Amino acid sequence: MAQKSALVTGITGQDGSYLAELLLAKNYKVYGLTRRTSTPNYERIKHIEDKIELIPGDLLDQQSLTAAVEMSNPDEVYNLAAQSFVATSWSQPVLTGEFTALGVTRMLEALRQVKSKAKFYQASSSEMFGMVKETPQSEKTPFHPRSPYGVAKVYGHWISINYRESYNMFTVSGILFNHESPRRGLEFVTRKISHGVAKIHLREANFIELGNLEAKRDWGFAGDYVEAMWLMLQQDKPDDYVIATGENHSVEEFVREAFEAVGISDWTKYVKVKKELFRPAEVDFLIGDSTKARKVLEWKPKVTFQELVKMMVKSDIELLQKNSK
Ligand code: NAP
Ligand code: F7E
């Protein structure tokens, strides 16, 4: 069988790096779109850099996206690039709309014009459910986004469906609930906690500053979730799928579990709650129903919440120890 080719936008991000590993293991020719930075930011893909091909491009620049599709001639496109941090979407709402919403249309247009038969994956998000209309949330749950990021993702979700309906293109949207890993950006709450706990454990810090400890999320492991992305593109028909563990935990539970991983039972001495870190509109409670994905894709998460927290704390301790040498 001929070698398949995949183009991954957002390859330097958390999911892009895990997905690239998965595709390489499946013998794909992997192309990644990277934007220009003044210093290289290939930290997450440096171990596979010689096995993948990077193409310069930006979600803001139509011509570069069209050229990336021409250069990679992909069988599959995974559109993971976005302004993905919810908090930043209030301070940079227009930019978030440009990247996370209109960027999807630009990618779809590039594909429609150059290779409309390629399969397209859009990284939709549980943030689209926002102020939830039912619990748990499935593919049928109506959206009520609570941030400029969530609103932009709703646009990206519907424009992908629209290109499927308008042009008969194979577009799928994976509605993924929060997924984390040692490669998660330091600004997201799980990594902020695991990194903070590791620093406290190594006596490099005395406390962590956090916002709303009561928010609840359905947290899974990123390595498990990229497998679901790939499975969605292996189906005969394009469709949308919720990917989630079906379990949720509060930020406070994550904190408690992370401190317990280093043998600290009274975490309250090390956490300061700051009002400035609360969001203008919060998503209080998310929990996903991934029955459809479990049935059709035969997908299920492998890493438990407790394993995930321990994995992240252990990895951050090792990282800090390595950096201090
Ligand atoms: P991430 O770590 O923040 O990675 C985002 C990627 O997008 C980075 O490679 C970034 O490049 C790239 N990017 C940003 N703006 C760009 C632009 N203008 N042009 C080209 N590339 C650009 O995000 P992630 O956690 O891997 O998430 C992947 C996707 O899934 C995102 O679309 C996110 O919104 C969505 N999602 C994530 C979760 C989750 O829990 N992780 C859940 C649901 C949906 P730089 O490295 O240059 O910044
Ligand atoms: O916040 C609360 C915060 O920033 C989780 C992105 O990948 O998942 C992610 O979005 C919760 C929120 O992720 C702090 O208020 C408390 O309720 O880790 P987060 P997120 O906003 O859920 C979705 C599915 C995506 O699609 C996004 O791309 O934690 N929280 N204290 C805090 N959050 C942060 N970041 N920092 C704090 O100090």
Side-chain angles (χ1 to χ4, degrees), residues 58-116:
D58 196 297
L59 288 178
L60 290 181
D61 188 275
Q62 181 69 60
Q63 194 275 331
S64 68
L65 302 180
T66 307
V69 177
E70 278 166 353
M71 283 164 77
S72 55
N73 187 26
D75 298 294
E76 297 170 11
V77 175
Y78 296 86
N79 186 38
L80 309 184
Q83 192 302 94
S84 73
F85 188 41
V86 173
T88 293
S89 78
W90 277 284
S91 56
Q92 300 179 9
V94 176
L95 188 84
T96 301
E98 285 286 355
F99 287 10
T100 307
L102 280 178
V104 187
T105 311
R106 293 192 192 98
M107 269 315 297
L108 285 164
E109 265 305 291
L111 215 56
R112 186 177 76 82
Q113 286 170 25
V114 180
K115 194 161 183 198
S116 63

Short mmCIF file of all heavy atoms in Angstrom, two decimals, residues 58-116:
data_model
loop_
_atom_site.label_atom_id
_atom_site.label_comp_id
_atom_site.label_asym_id
_atom_site.label_seq_id
_atom_site.Cartn_x
_atom_site.Cartn_y
_atom_site.Cartn_z
N ASP A 58 1.10 30.24 8.31
CA ASP A 58 0.39 30.85 9.43
C ASP A 58 -1.10 30.84 9.11
O ASP A 58 -1.50 31.08 7.97
CB ASP A 58 0.88 32.30 9.61
CG ASP A 58 0.49 32.86 10.96
OD1 ASP A 58 -0.72 32.98 11.24
OD2 ASP A 58 1.39 33.18 11.75
N LEU A 59 -1.90 30.60 10.14
CA LEU A 59 -3.36 30.57 9.96
C LEU A 59 -3.91 31.91 9.46
O LEU A 59 -5.03 31.98 8.98
CB LEU A 59 -4.04 30.23 11.28
CG LEU A 59 -3.94 28.80 11.79
CD1 LEU A 59 -4.64 28.69 13.14
CD2 LEU A 59 -4.55 27.82 10.80
N LEU A 60 -3.12 32.97 9.60
CA LEU A 60 -3.57 34.29 9.14
C LEU A 60 -3.30 34.50 7.65
O LEU A 60 -3.78 35.46 7.07
CB LEU A 60 -2.84 35.40 9.91
CG LEU A 60 -3.19 35.58 11.38
CD1 LEU A 60 -2.38 36.73 11.96
CD2 LEU A 60 -4.67 35.84 11.56
N ASP A 61 -2.51 33.61 7.07
CA ASP A 61 -1.99 33.86 5.73
C ASP A 61 -2.47 32.79 4.74
O ASP A 61 -1.92 31.69 4.68
CB ASP A 61 -0.44 33.88 5.80
CG ASP A 61 0.17 34.32 4.51
OD1 ASP A 61 0.34 33.46 3.62
OD2 ASP A 61 0.45 35.52 4.36
N GLN A 62 -3.49 33.15 3.98
CA GLN A 62 -4.13 32.18 3.07
C GLN A 62 -3.12 31.53 2.11
O GLN A 62 -3.11 30.32 1.93
CB GLN A 62 -5.22 32.87 2.26
CG GLN A 62 -5.96 31.94 1.31
CD GLN A 62 -6.83 30.93 2.04
OE1 GLN A 62 -7.72 31.30 2.78
NE2 GLN A 62 -6.55 29.64 1.86
N GLN A 63 -2.26 32.38 1.53
CA GLN A 63 -1.34 31.86 0.51
C GLN A 63 -0.42 30.78 1.10
O GLN A 63 -0.15 29.77 0.45
CB GLN A 63 -0.54 33.04 -0.07
CG GLN A 63 0.20 32.74 -1.34
CD GLN A 63 1.55 32.11 -1.03
OE1 GLN A 63 2.14 32.37 0.02
NE2 GLN A 63 2.03 31.27 -1.94
N SER A 64 0.03 31.01 2.35
CA SER A 64 0.96 30.02 2.95
C SER A 64 0.24 28.70 3.22
O SER A 64 0.84 27.63 3.15
CB SER A 64 1.58 30.58 4.23
OG SER A 64 0.61 30.72 5.26
N LEU A 65 -1.05 28.75 3.51
CA LEU A 65 -1.81 27.52 3.78
C LEU A 65 -2.03 26.75 2.47
O LEU A 65 -1.90 25.52 2.43
CB LEU A 65 -3.15 27.84 4.45
CG LEU A 65 -3.06 28.62 5.77
CD1 LEU A 65 -4.44 28.88 6.34
CD2 LEU A 65 -2.20 27.87 6.79
N THR A 66 -2.34 27.49 1.42
CA THR A 66 -2.53 26.87 0.12
C THR A 66 -1.22 26.19 -0.32
O THR A 66 -1.22 25.04 -0.77
CB THR A 66 -2.98 27.93 -0.92
OG1 THR A 66 -4.12 28.59 -0.39
CG2 THR A 66 -3.34 27.29 -2.26
N ALA A 67 -0.11 26.90 -0.12
CA ALA A 67 1.20 26.35 -0.49
C ALA A 67 1.50 25.10 0.34
O ALA A 67 2.06 24.12 -0.18
CB ALA A 67 2.29 27.40 -0.29
N ALA A 68 1.12 25.11 1.62
CA ALA A 68 1.39 23.95 2.49
C ALA A 68 0.62 22.72 2.00
O ALA A 68 1.16 21.60 2.02
CB ALA A 68 0.99 24.28 3.94
N VAL A 69 -0.60 22.93 1.53
CA VAL A 69 -1.37 21.79 1.01
C VAL A 69 -0.74 21.31 -0.31
O VAL A 69 -0.61 20.10 -0.54
CB VAL A 69 -2.87 22.16 0.83
CG1 VAL A 69 -3.63 20.98 0.22
CG2 VAL A 69 -3.50 22.56 2.16
N GLU A 70 -0.31 22.26 -1.13
CA GLU A 70 0.35 21.86 -2.40
C GLU A 70 1.61 21.05 -2.12
O GLU A 70 1.85 20.01 -2.71
CB GLU A 70 0.71 23.11 -3.22
CG GLU A 70 -0.47 23.63 -4.01
CD GLU A 70 -0.23 25.04 -4.57
OE1 GLU A 70 0.80 25.67 -4.24
OE2 GLU A 70 -1.11 25.52 -5.31
N MET A 71 2.42 21.53 -1.16
CA MET A 71 3.70 20.87 -0.87
C MET A 71 3.52 19.49 -0.25
O MET A 71 4.28 18.57 -0.51
CB MET A 71 4.54 21.74 0.07
CG MET A 71 5.21 22.90 -0.64
SD MET A 71 5.77 24.14 0.52
CE MET A 71 7.23 23.36 1.13
N SER A 72 2.52 19.33 0.59
CA SER A 72 2.37 18.06 1.32
C SER A 72 1.47 17.07 0.59
O SER A 72 1.51 15.87 0.88
CB SER A 72 1.82 18.32 2.72
OG SER A 72 0.61 19.04 2.65
N ASN A 73 0.64 17.55 -0.33
CA ASN A 73 -0.30 16.69 -1.06
C ASN A 73 -0.92 15.65 -0.10
O ASN A 73 -0.79 14.44 -0.31
CB ASN A 73 0.44 16.00 -2.22
CG ASN A 73 -0.53 15.24 -3.10
OD1 ASN A 73 -1.72 15.57 -3.17
ND2 ASN A 73 -0.05 14.17 -3.74
N PRO A 74 -1.61 16.12 0.93
CA PRO A 74 -1.99 15.20 2.02
C PRO A 74 -3.21 14.32 1.72
O PRO A 74 -4.12 14.73 1.00
CB PRO A 74 -2.36 16.18 3.15
CG PRO A 74 -2.88 17.38 2.43
CD PRO A 74 -2.08 17.49 1.16
N ASP A 75 -3.19 13.12 2.32
CA ASP A 75 -4.41 12.30 2.34
C ASP A 75 -5.28 12.75 3.51
O ASP A 75 -6.49 12.64 3.48
CB ASP A 75 -4.03 10.81 2.54
CG ASP A 75 -3.19 10.31 1.39
OD1 ASP A 75 -3.73 10.24 0.28
OD2 ASP A 75 -1.99 10.03 1.60
N GLU A 76 -4.59 13.22 4.57
CA GLU A 76 -5.32 13.64 5.79
C GLU A 76 -4.74 14.96 6.30
O GLU A 76 -3.52 15.14 6.30
CB GLU A 76 -5.16 12.56 6.88
CG GLU A 76 -5.79 11.24 6.47
CD GLU A 76 -5.45 10.09 7.43
OE1 GLU A 76 -4.90 10.34 8.53
OE2 GLU A 76 -5.74 8.94 7.06
N VAL A 77 -5.62 15.85 6.73
CA VAL A 77 -5.19 17.12 7.33
C VAL A 77 -5.77 17.20 8.74
O VAL A 77 -6.97 17.00 8.93
CB VAL A 77 -5.67 18.33 6.51
CG1 VAL A 77 -5.32 19.64 7.20
CG2 VAL A 77 -5.07 18.31 5.11
N TYR A 78 -4.91 17.46 9.70
CA TYR A 78 -5.36 17.61 11.09
C TYR A 78 -5.17 19.08 11.47
O TYR A 78 -4.04 19.55 11.59
CB TYR A 78 -4.53 16.72 12.02
CG TYR A 78 -4.73 15.24 11.74
CD1 TYR A 78 -3.97 14.59 10.77
CD2 TYR A 78 -5.67 14.50 12.44
CE1 TYR A 78 -4.14 13.22 10.51
CE2 TYR A 78 -5.86 13.14 12.19
CZ TYR A 78 -5.09 12.52 11.21
OH TYR A 78 -5.27 11.17 10.96
N ASN A 79 -6.29 19.79 11.63
CA ASN A 79 -6.19 21.23 11.92
C ASN A 79 -6.22 21.47 13.44
O ASN A 79 -7.27 21.69 14.04
CB ASN A 79 -7.32 22.00 11.24
CG ASN A 79 -7.14 23.49 11.42
OD1 ASN A 79 -6.01 24.00 11.38
ND2 ASN A 79 -8.22 24.20 11.66
N LEU A 80 -5.02 21.41 14.03
CA LEU A 80 -4.91 21.56 15.49
C LEU A 80 -4.47 22.97 15.89
O LEU A 80 -4.52 23.33 17.06
CB LEU A 80 -3.89 20.56 16.04
CG LEU A 80 -4.07 19.10 15.63
CD1 LEU A 80 -3.05 18.22 16.34
CD2 LEU A 80 -5.47 18.61 15.94
N ALA A 81 -4.00 23.75 14.95
CA ALA A 81 -3.49 25.09 15.29
C ALA A 81 -4.63 25.99 15.74
O ALA A 81 -5.72 25.96 15.17
CB ALA A 81 -2.78 25.70 14.09
N ALA A 82 -4.36 26.77 16.76
CA ALA A 82 -5.37 27.72 17.28
C ALA A 82 -4.74 28.57 18.38
O ALA A 82 -3.69 28.21 18.92
CB ALA A 82 -6.56 26.96 17.88
N GLN A 83 -5.38 29.69 18.70
CA GLN A 83 -5.10 30.37 19.96
C GLN A 83 -5.93 29.58 20.96
O GLN A 83 -7.15 29.71 21.00
CB GLN A 83 -5.53 31.85 19.87
CG GLN A 83 -5.03 32.74 21.01
CD GLN A 83 -5.47 32.29 22.39
OE1 GLN A 83 -4.72 31.56 23.08
NE2 GLN A 83 -6.65 32.66 22.82
N SER A 84 -5.28 28.75 21.76
CA SER A 84 -6.01 27.72 22.50
C SER A 84 -6.22 28.03 23.98
O SER A 84 -6.84 27.24 24.69
CB SER A 84 -5.27 26.38 22.38
OG SER A 84 -4.09 26.42 23.17
N PHE A 85 -5.69 29.17 24.46
CA PHE A 85 -5.81 29.46 25.89
C PHE A 85 -7.03 30.34 26.13
O PHE A 85 -7.07 31.50 25.67
CB PHE A 85 -4.52 30.11 26.39
CG PHE A 85 -4.47 30.27 27.89
CD1 PHE A 85 -4.92 29.26 28.74
CD2 PHE A 85 -3.98 31.43 28.46
CE1 PHE A 85 -4.87 29.40 30.12
CE2 PHE A 85 -3.92 31.58 29.85
CZ PHE A 85 -4.38 30.56 30.67
N VAL A 86 -8.00 29.80 26.86
CA VAL A 86 -9.28 30.47 27.07
C VAL A 86 -9.09 31.85 27.70
O VAL A 86 -9.68 32.84 27.24
CB VAL A 86 -10.21 29.58 27.94
CG1 VAL A 86 -11.48 30.33 28.32
CG2 VAL A 86 -10.55 28.29 27.21
N ALA A 87 -8.24 31.97 28.72
CA ALA A 87 -8.06 33.25 29.42
C ALA A 87 -7.58 34.34 28.46
O ALA A 87 -8.07 35.48 28.51
CB ALA A 87 -7.09 33.07 30.58
N THR A 88 -6.67 34.00 27.57
CA THR A 88 -6.14 34.98 26.60
C THR A 88 -7.23 35.44 25.63
O THR A 88 -7.15 36.53 25.06
CB THR A 88 -4.94 34.37 25.84
OG1 THR A 88 -3.88 34.20 26.78
CG2 THR A 88 -4.44 35.25 24.71
N SER A 89 -8.24 34.63 25.47
CA SER A 89 -9.27 35.00 24.48
C SER A 89 -10.07 36.23 24.91
O SER A 89 -10.71 36.86 24.08
CB SER A 89 -10.18 33.81 24.14
OG SER A 89 -11.14 33.56 25.13
N TRP A 90 -10.02 36.58 26.20
CA TRP A 90 -10.67 37.84 26.62
C TRP A 90 -9.76 39.04 26.37
O TRP A 90 -10.24 40.12 26.06
CB TRP A 90 -11.06 37.79 28.10
CG TRP A 90 -12.37 37.10 28.34
CD1 TRP A 90 -13.62 37.60 28.10
CD2 TRP A 90 -12.55 35.78 28.87
NE1 TRP A 90 -14.57 36.65 28.44
CE2 TRP A 90 -13.95 35.54 28.92
CE3 TRP A 90 -11.69 34.78 29.30
CZ2 TRP A 90 -14.49 34.35 29.39
CZ3 TRP A 90 -12.23 33.60 29.76
CH2 TRP A 90 -13.60 33.38 29.81
N SER A 91 -8.44 38.85 26.53
CA SER A 91 -7.54 39.99 26.30
C SER A 91 -7.22 40.16 24.82
O SER A 91 -6.86 41.24 24.39
CB SER A 91 -6.26 39.85 27.13
OG SER A 91 -5.63 38.63 26.83
N GLN A 92 -7.36 39.07 24.01
CA GLN A 92 -7.10 39.16 22.57
C GLN A 92 -8.26 38.51 21.80
O GLN A 92 -8.06 37.51 21.08
CB GLN A 92 -5.77 38.49 22.24
CG GLN A 92 -4.59 39.14 22.96
CD GLN A 92 -3.25 38.48 22.66
OE1 GLN A 92 -3.12 37.64 21.80
NE2 GLN A 92 -2.24 38.87 23.40
N PRO A 93 -9.46 39.07 21.93
CA PRO A 93 -10.63 38.42 21.32
C PRO A 93 -10.61 38.43 19.79
O PRO A 93 -11.04 37.45 19.16
CB PRO A 93 -11.82 39.24 21.85
CG PRO A 93 -11.25 40.55 22.26
CD PRO A 93 -9.83 40.30 22.67
N VAL A 94 -10.07 39.51 19.20
CA VAL A 94 -10.09 39.59 17.74
C VAL A 94 -9.09 38.61 17.15
O VAL A 94 -9.38 37.86 16.21
CB VAL A 94 -9.82 41.05 17.28
CG1 VAL A 94 -9.74 41.13 15.76
CG2 VAL A 94 -10.91 41.98 17.81
N LEU A 95 -7.89 38.58 17.76
CA LEU A 95 -6.87 37.64 17.30
C LEU A 95 -7.37 36.20 17.45
O LEU A 95 -7.17 35.36 16.57
CB LEU A 95 -5.57 37.83 18.10
CG LEU A 95 -4.40 37.02 17.55
CD1 LEU A 95 -3.72 37.77 16.41
CD2 LEU A 95 -3.41 36.69 18.64
N THR A 96 -8.03 35.94 18.57
CA THR A 96 -8.57 34.58 18.80
C THR A 96 -9.56 34.22 17.69
O THR A 96 -9.55 33.10 17.17
CB THR A 96 -9.24 34.50 20.19
OG1 THR A 96 -8.26 34.82 21.18
CG2 THR A 96 -9.80 33.12 20.46
N GLY A 97 -10.40 35.18 17.31
CA GLY A 97 -11.34 34.94 16.23
C GLY A 97 -10.63 34.68 14.91
O GLY A 97 -11.01 33.80 14.13
N GLU A 98 -9.56 35.46 14.65
CA GLU A 98 -8.80 35.28 13.40
C GLU A 98 -8.18 33.89 13.31
O GLU A 98 -8.27 33.23 12.29
CB GLU A 98 -7.69 36.33 13.30
CG GLU A 98 -8.17 37.73 12.95
CD GLU A 98 -8.60 37.87 11.50
OE1 GLU A 98 -8.44 36.94 10.71
OE2 GLU A 98 -9.12 38.95 11.15
N PHE A 99 -7.52 33.46 14.40
CA PHE A 99 -6.82 32.16 14.39
C PHE A 99 -7.81 31.01 14.49
O PHE A 99 -7.81 30.09 13.68
CB PHE A 99 -5.89 32.03 15.62
CG PHE A 99 -4.64 32.86 15.60
CD1 PHE A 99 -4.42 33.84 14.65
CD2 PHE A 99 -3.66 32.64 16.56
CE1 PHE A 99 -3.25 34.60 14.66
CE2 PHE A 99 -2.49 33.39 16.58
CZ PHE A 99 -2.28 34.37 15.63
N THR A 100 -8.62 31.08 15.56
CA THR A 100 -9.37 29.90 15.99
C THR A 100 -10.67 29.73 15.20
O THR A 100 -11.15 28.61 15.05
CB THR A 100 -9.63 30.02 17.52
OG1 THR A 100 -8.36 30.26 18.15
CG2 THR A 100 -10.28 28.81 18.12
N ALA A 101 -11.20 30.84 14.67
CA ALA A 101 -12.43 30.73 13.86
C ALA A 101 -12.08 30.84 12.36
O ALA A 101 -12.11 29.85 11.64
CB ALA A 101 -13.43 31.82 14.27
N LEU A 102 -11.68 32.03 11.91
CA LEU A 102 -11.43 32.22 10.47
C LEU A 102 -10.28 31.36 9.95
O LEU A 102 -10.28 30.98 8.77
CB LEU A 102 -11.16 33.70 10.17
CG LEU A 102 -12.41 34.58 10.09
CD1 LEU A 102 -12.02 36.03 9.83
CD2 LEU A 102 -13.37 34.08 9.01
N GLY A 103 -9.34 31.05 10.82
CA GLY A 103 -8.22 30.17 10.43
C GLY A 103 -8.74 28.83 9.90
O GLY A 103 -8.15 28.24 8.99
N VAL A 104 -9.85 28.37 10.44
CA VAL A 104 -10.43 27.09 9.98
C VAL A 104 -10.93 27.23 8.55
O VAL A 104 -10.69 26.37 7.69
CB VAL A 104 -11.59 26.63 10.91
CG1 VAL A 104 -12.05 25.23 10.53
CG2 VAL A 104 -11.17 26.67 12.38
N THR A 105 -11.60 28.36 8.27
CA THR A 105 -12.08 28.59 6.90
C THR A 105 -10.90 28.67 5.94
O THR A 105 -10.95 28.12 4.83
CB THR A 105 -12.90 29.90 6.82
OG1 THR A 105 -13.85 29.88 7.87
CG2 THR A 105 -13.63 30.01 5.50
N ARG A 106 -9.84 29.34 6.37
CA ARG A 106 -8.68 29.46 5.48
C ARG A 106 -8.11 28.07 5.17
O ARG A 106 -7.75 27.77 4.03
CB ARG A 106 -7.60 30.36 6.11
CG ARG A 106 -8.05 31.81 6.22
CD ARG A 106 -6.89 32.74 6.56
NE ARG A 106 -7.42 34.05 6.94
CZ ARG A 106 -7.61 34.47 8.19
NH1 ARG A 106 -7.25 33.71 9.21
NH2 ARG A 106 -8.13 35.64 8.44
N MET A 107 -8.01 27.21 6.18
CA MET A 107 -7.50 25.85 5.94
C MET A 107 -8.43 25.08 5.02
O MET A 107 -7.99 24.39 4.10
CB MET A 107 -7.39 25.08 7.27
CG MET A 107 -6.08 25.19 8.00
SD MET A 107 -4.61 24.99 6.98
CE MET A 107 -4.79 23.31 6.38
N LEU A 108 -9.73 25.21 5.26
CA LEU A 108 -10.71 24.49 4.42
C LEU A 108 -10.66 24.98 2.98
O LEU A 108 -10.76 24.19 2.04
CB LEU A 108 -12.12 24.67 5.00
CG LEU A 108 -12.42 23.85 6.26
CD1 LEU A 108 -13.66 24.39 6.97
CD2 LEU A 108 -12.60 22.38 5.93
N GLU A 109 -10.48 26.30 2.80
CA GLU A 109 -10.40 26.86 1.45
C GLU A 109 -9.15 26.34 0.74
O GLU A 109 -9.20 25.99 -0.44
CB GLU A 109 -10.37 28.39 1.50
CG GLU A 109 -11.72 29.03 1.32
CD GLU A 109 -12.43 28.58 0.05
OE1 GLU A 109 -12.00 28.95 -1.05
OE2 GLU A 109 -13.45 27.87 0.15
N ALA A 110 -8.04 26.29 1.47
CA ALA A 110 -6.80 25.77 0.87
C ALA A 110 -7.03 24.34 0.37
O ALA A 110 -6.64 23.98 -0.74
CB ALA A 110 -5.67 25.81 1.90
N LEU A 111 -7.71 23.57 1.20
CA LEU A 111 -7.97 22.17 0.85
C LEU A 111 -8.94 22.07 -0.33
O LEU A 111 -8.74 21.29 -1.25
CB LEU A 111 -8.59 21.50 2.09
CG LEU A 111 -8.22 20.05 2.30
CD1 LEU A 111 -6.72 19.89 2.35
CD2 LEU A 111 -8.84 19.55 3.60
N ARG A 112 -10.00 22.87 -0.27
CA ARG A 112 -11.02 22.83 -1.34
C ARG A 112 -10.38 23.16 -2.69
O ARG A 112 -10.69 22.53 -3.69
CB ARG A 112 -12.13 23.84 -1.02
CG ARG A 112 -13.30 23.77 -1.99
CD ARG A 112 -14.39 24.73 -1.58
NE ARG A 112 -14.08 26.11 -1.89
CZ ARG A 112 -14.25 26.69 -3.07
NH1 ARG A 112 -14.74 26.00 -4.07
NH2 ARG A 112 -13.94 27.96 -3.26
N GLN A 113 -9.47 24.14 -2.67
CA GLN A 113 -8.89 24.57 -3.95
C GLN A 113 -7.80 23.62 -4.46
O GLN A 113 -7.64 23.45 -5.65
CB GLN A 113 -8.30 25.98 -3.80
CG GLN A 113 -9.41 27.03 -3.75
CD GLN A 113 -8.88 28.40 -3.35
OE1 GLN A 113 -7.72 28.70 -3.55
NE2 GLN A 113 -9.74 29.22 -2.79
N VAL A 114 -7.08 22.99 -3.52
CA VAL A 114 -5.92 22.18 -3.95
C VAL A 114 -6.21 20.68 -3.91
O VAL A 114 -5.85 19.95 -4.82
CB VAL A 114 -4.67 22.50 -3.09
CG1 VAL A 114 -3.47 21.67 -3.54
CG2 VAL A 114 -4.35 23.98 -3.14
N LYS A 115 -6.84 20.23 -2.83
CA LYS A 115 -7.06 18.78 -2.72
C LYS A 115 -8.34 18.49 -1.93
O LYS A 115 -8.29 18.09 -0.75
CB LYS A 115 -5.84 18.12 -2.06
CG LYS A 115 -5.90 16.62 -2.24
CD LYS A 115 -4.62 15.90 -2.05
CE LYS A 115 -4.84 14.42 -2.35
NZ LYS A 115 -3.80 13.57 -1.80
N SER A 116 -9.46 18.66 -2.58
CA SER A 116 -10.75 18.56 -1.86
C SER A 116 -11.09 17.14 -1.45
O SER A 116 -11.99 16.93 -0.64
CB SER A 116 -11.87 19.17 -2.71
OG SER A 116 -12.01 18.41 -3.89
#
